[in-house]
Amino acid sequence: MVELLLDPAIRLWVILPIVLISLMFGLVRHYFTVLLKSERPNDVTQLKDGQALMRSRLLRENCGYISEEAFLKRRHFFNNPESGYFKQERENASSPLSAMGDPSMALDMVKGTFTNVLPMIAIGGWINWTFSGFLATKVPFPLTYRFKAMLQRGVELQTLSASWVSSMSWYFLNVFGLRSIYTLILGADNAADQGRQMAMQMSMQQSPMGGKQQPSQMFKGEWEALEVVVHTDQLYRIEDDLIQRQTLTLPHTNPKRKKAL
């Protein structure tokens, strides 16, 4: 197989421009998404339920560091059959059909399509038209021919090694590979990560409820988990253990030095 040599100008006029275009496109998409984002008021009941579940989980994990009386009082507050927090009636979340008919959710899906899919198609088409037929770079390890369809879009050569990367494939690699750069510049919670945005849209389409469980189901599971917890005092004779550890760590006096004194 004949070895190809790339013009060094490709690095300045193809590789770097595609990287900069992908990076700037992600930054613009992030700030544009922030401008179009609609703030939803937080539900006080959901916040209280979430905090109660967190407190119950912390109680189960750390009950050994409080007295048995304090543990029983806290468990009585959550699991009392008559007035316990987990025994109170809660309104179930809306059904998926009603969530699909929510105008705000439909508007958010339209905004997500407008800010993610359409610009990506437009930029990808422009890059395919501008840098069509260019080989941008080569991976430093051999690949099988199954990677040709992924790494050599726009360059249909059967005799070309699968390690070469076309300009169009280089663009897609940058779109889905700049996640660390976006996190460094914009923080972890950013809208520039194209892969995460597409995954969120797909999950919303598959499950309009967003994968949330009903409050009654979560309370029932937490009630059962807290009910079977047996209190074990982790601080029993902690003073004796502490004194013993301090005694072992104290430096021993040399007998010869004692005699000299």
Side-chain angles (χ1 to χ4, degrees):
M1 186 177 293
V2 180
E3 186 67 22
L4 299 179
L5 296 177
L6 294 181
D7 191 344
I10 292 180
R11 181 175 61 253
L12 298 177
W13 297 102
V14 178
I15 298 179
L16 291 180
I18 292 178
V19 174
L20 293 177
I21 289 172
S22 303
L23 181 62
M24 296 304 296
F25 170 62
L27 297 177
V28 171
R29 183 176 62 247
H30 168 74
Y31 290 109
F32 196 67
T33 304
V34 171
L35 291 176
L36 294 179
K37 186 178 181 181
S38 57
E39 295 292 337
R40 295 184 179 180
N42 294 324
D43 191 353
V44 180
T45 305
Q46 291 183 0
L47 292 177
K48 290 175 61 177
D49 294 345
Q51 292 296 322
L53 291 170
M54 185 181 299
R55 288 174 55 194
S56 176
R57 179 178 58 83
L58 292 176
L59 178 63
R60 289 190 288 106
E61 295 175 354
N62 304 292
C63 63
Y65 298 100
I66 59 177
S67 63
E68 185 177 3
E69 182 182 0
F71 167 72
L72 293 177
K73 286 182 178 180
R74 287 165 172 79
R75 188 169 69 175
H76 180 77
F77 169 76
F78 289 114
N79 287 15
N80 184 21
E82 298 179 357
S83 60
Y85 192 90
F86 292 153
K87 286 296 184 178
Q88 297 177 6
E89 294 294 334
R90 288 289 188 277
E91 294 183 1
N92 291 330
S94 57
S95 62
L97 295 178
S98 60
M100 284 295 292
D102 188 5
S104 60
M105 181 170 291
L107 183 61
D108 291 341
M109 293 178 64
V110 172
K111 288 180 181 179
T113 304
F114 179 73
T115 56
N116 293 318
V117 180
L118 296 181
M120 181 179 176
I121 295 175
I123 297 295
W126 178 77
I127 288 179
N128 188 29
W129 176 73
T130 306
F131 302 102
S132 178
F134 280 98
L135 290 177
T137 183
K138 183 180 181 181
V139 295
F141 46 84
L143 295 173
T144 61
Y145 277 91
R146 293 187 177 183
F147 288 90
K148 288 177 66 68
M150 181 178 65
L151 297 180
Q152 295 180 6
R153 289 185 175 273
V155 180
E156 305 295 338
L157 293 177
Q158 295 295 332
T159 58
L160 186 63
S161 174
S163 300
W164 291 98
V165 181
S166 65
S167 57
M168 191 63 187
S169 299
W170 176 248
Y171 165 70
F172 283 110
L173 290 177
N174 281 274
V175 167
F176 295 101
L178 293 175
R179 179 176 302 178
S180 301
I181 305 298
Y182 292 142
T183 304
L184 182 64
I185 298 175
L186 303 173
D189 189 13
N190 62 80
D193 188 359
Q194 187 74 22
R196 189 177 66 175
Q197 294 295 324
M198 293 180 65
M200 290 176 59
Q201 288 186 3
M202 291 178 63
S203 63
M204 287 179 61
Q205 291 177 3
Q206 293 177 0
S207 177
M209 290 298 300
K212 296 182 180 179
Q213 295 182 353
Q214 300 293 343
S216 58
Q217 297 177 357
M218 294 188 295
F219 285 172
K220 182 180 179 181
E222 188 62 31
W223 183 90
E224 294 175 352
L226 185 59
E227 191 69 20
V228 299
V229 173
V230 179
H231 181 270
T232 304
D233 192 0
Q234 300 290 338
L235 302 180
Y236 178 70
R237 300 179 63 86
I238 188 64
E239 300 87 354
D240 298 339
D241 294 342
L242 182 60
I243 293 174
Q244 185 178 3
R245 291 181 184 179
Q246 291 293 333
T247 305
L248 293 176
T249 56
L250 287 176
H252 297 283
T253 308
N254 193 350
K256 293 182 179 180
R257 186 178 176 186
K258 229 185 204 183
K259 219 180 266 187
L261 292 174

